[in-house]
Amino acid sequence: MVILLSATGFAIDMGRIVIDRAKLSNALDYAALAGAQELPDDPEAAKAEARAYLVDNGIDPTLISINISEDRKTIELKGTKELQFTFIRIMGFEKTNVVGSSKVILGAVKSVKGGLRPFAVEDFDYSYGTVITLKQEGGDGYHGNYGVVALGGTGSGNYESNALYGYKGEIAIGDEIQTEPGNMANVSNALKEYINSIPDTFNNFNRDSKRLWTVPLVDSLAENGRGTVVVTGFAEVFVESIQKKSGKIEINARFIRFVLNGEIDQTVEDRGTYGIKLVN
């Protein structure tokens, strides 16, 4: 009977090791994913966010090391959690440490599903944080112009829905999309009122701010009327203001670095819009 009870107790405590190891691994994964949202701009905020998730999941953050790579595109957590045995203390074993680790990398997104705005930006080397004036008519030969593009359909109704709420479908690098000609003044008015009613500023906004837009980068905007352009990447902008000048819409925005929910491709050129991936 004593042997049977000892064997049962041993099995229970060994099972607890497996369960606690899984819990630690999951907590580290969630903490790493949370911290990665703050990269590459703010590694200290990334560490703070990861520690907060550890605490929420019952993990002592002082037992976890958090390392961020020099290029600020990798966050790795390693650590232990102490487990007090219940049954096999009688065999001389009081406690053990379960070990876990998690690594998350950032990479340029190769596709965006949901939320893409119907304003294509001609691909160029831009500076983060600089105010860019995006004018309505595209293809006049200087960088920063944008053109309206048809995502999932054509016409003012589709354009208005995509402009206000983002396209619900998926667009990937290499896809061909059509430009959307026409002034669409009524949509421009609704968009201006919507954005200008949001009080966020560039120095004070959250990740869910409605002033944050994901836009497609394209190979060229030298199209007259409806034409086809090729998606070369994606950019994230903070919209500072929308105005109408000479009957045409003008958007003042700043390009920012931002983490999206998107599939990554390490071979794609870094444009500051990232997806994240667990690589344990």
Side-chain angles (χ1 to χ4, degrees):
M1 179 62 73
V2 173
I3 295 175
L4 178 60
L5 290 175
S6 297
T8 302
F10 180 82
I12 291 173
D13 278 340
M14 291 304 101
R16 290 179 59 215
I17 291 177
V18 173
I19 292 171
D20 273 33
R21 183 180 291 120
K23 287 182 177 179
L24 176 61
S25 178
N26 288 337
L28 293 179
D29 285 348
Y30 282 117
L33 289 168
Q37 303 290 328
E38 303 297 332
L39 296 176
D41 284 339
D42 197 337
E44 291 307 313
K47 291 180 180 180
E49 191 70 15
R51 292 189 187 102
Y53 266 73
L54 291 172
V55 171
D56 289 344
N57 284 276
I59 305 298
D60 183 353
T62 64
L63 300 177
I64 307 298
S65 66
I66 304 176
N67 295 304
I68 294 174
S69 62
E70 188 174 346
D71 65 1
R72 300 182 177 184
K73 294 180 183 177
T74 301
I75 180 170
E76 186 172 12
L77 279 67
K78 294 181 179 180
T80 62
K81 180 182 180 182
E82 185 178 276
L83 171 64
Q84 295 284 340
F85 290 128
T86 301
F87 296 100
I88 61 175
R89 286 173 177 268
I90 60 175
M91 301 170 62
F93 301 102
E94 292 188 1
K95 61 184 179 180
T96 189
N97 288 324
V98 292
V99 180
S101 65
S102 182
K103 180 189 288 188
V104 170
I105 61 172
L106 273 67
V109 291
K110 68 177 183 180
S111 64
V112 173
K113 185 175 183 179
L116 196 66
R117 306 291 172 158
F119 306 107
V121 179
E122 192 169 279
D123 204 345
F124 72 102
D125 291 326
Y126 49 79
S127 298
Y128 301 109
T130 301
V131 176
I132 305 289
T133 299
L134 307 171
K135 295 184 181 296
Q136 186 175 27
E137 64 275 23
D140 66 354
Y142 69 88
H143 293 313
N145 282 348
Y146 79 88
V148 176
V149 288
L151 302 176
T154 60
S156 61
N158 183 71
Y159 164 54
E160 180 175 15
S161 176
N162 290 338
L164 291 174
Y165 311 114
Y167 174 52
K168 295 180 180 179
E170 184 173 12
I171 299 293
I173 291 176
D175 284 353
E176 294 184 346
I177 54 178
Q178 287 188 315
T179 56
E180 181 73 274
N183 191 15
M184 302 187 184
N186 291 335
V187 177
S188 299
N189 287 332
L191 187 61
K192 181 185 73 170
E193 292 174 3
Y194 175 67
I195 287 296
N196 291 343
S197 69
I198 301 168
D200 297 349
T201 66
F202 181 71
N203 294 317
N204 185 22
F205 66 88
N206 295 320
R207 287 185 52 81
D208 60 353
S209 173
K210 301 302 182 183
R211 286 180 177 264
L212 292 178
W213 287 2
T214 308
V215 296
L217 302 173
V218 298
D219 59 340
S220 173
L221 285 172
E223 294 287 342
N224 293 317
R226 192 177 303 282
T228 299
V229 294
V230 178
V231 176
T232 59
F234 302 94
E236 191 76 11
V237 298
F238 178 87
V239 179
E240 295 216 309
S241 66
I242 296 181
Q243 307 172 49
K244 288 191 71 176
K245 292 186 176 181
S246 302
K248 296 178 179 179
I249 193 170
E250 184 174 281
I251 300 176
N252 292 314
R254 296 178 190 254
F255 288 101
I256 66 171
R257 293 182 177 91
F258 198 75
V259 174
L260 301 170
N261 291 322
E263 189 175 354
I264 72 172
D265 186 341
Q266 298 290 73
T267 67
V268 172
E269 186 175 358
D270 184 349
R271 288 302 194 191
T273 305
Y274 306 101
I276 55 179
K277 181 180 180 180
L278 275 168
V279 291
N280 287 349

